[in-house]
Each structure stands twice: as structure tokens, then as C-alpha cells.
Amino acid sequence: MELDEAKVFKVMNVACKNSLLTHTAFFYHQSNKVKFVVNDHHKQICEVLEFVLCGKLIKVIINIAPRYSKTELAVVNLVSHAF
């Protein structure tokens, strides 16, 4: 690994720990080799899920149409981001 790659890795490590959306975009790209296209509803979902992680919210229902990344955000990446 080159020095620049090491710096990028360290920066991404900190960014992923601080933001669920950044974590999701980074690991989605790593696993699927395509960019995770972020939209406003992704930002809103991540904001609510981060409130859950810090204890400001206890119960949440995400009610949007299929294929809007609910599972990717709330199940796959929330669990890996939280731990």
C-alpha cells in the first residue's frame, strides 16, 4: 500500500465512523463495485438512524416504497456501523 493510499484509508476510516451515510456509500462501493447514489431520502433516513444509535429515538418506522435502500441502510450498514 502506498503512502497516499494509507492516508486515504485513515481519512475514510474516521469518516465512516462519524457518518452512517459515508459508511454506507464506502462499503456499498467496496462490495458491489458501483457507486451508491445518495439522495435526500438517504440523508433523512441516516439522520433518523443516527438518532436511534445515540438514544434520542427508541422506536422508528421507515415507511417508503420498495427499492429505496431501506434494508441497505437500516439493516446491513447500521449494524456494521454501530459495532
Side-chain angles (χ1 to χ4, degrees), residues 7-70:
K7 287 181 182 179
V8 169
F9 180 76
K10 287 180 182 180
V11 168
M12 286 308 298
N13 186 19
V14 171
C16 287
K17 287 180 181 178
N18 291 331
S19 169
L20 175 60
L21 189 57
T22 304
H23 176 90
T24 300
F26 179 76
F27 284 102
Y28 185 86
H29 178 69
Q30 292 296 315
S31 63
N32 298 315
K33 305 299 182 217
V34 294
K35 183 180 177 183
F36 184 81
V37 179
V38 177
N39 206 330
D40 289 336
H41 71 280
H42 294 121
K43 294 175 186 176
Q44 292 173 346
I45 292 170
C46 286
E47 183 179 349
V48 168
L49 292 174
E50 287 175 347
F51 284 154
V52 171
L53 286 177
C54 70
K56 292 181 181 177
L57 291 173
I58 297 172
K59 296 180 182 180
V60 173
I61 296 174
I62 300 171
N63 192 10
I64 57 176
R67 311 287 302 166
Y68 275 79
S69 307
K70 292 183 301 287

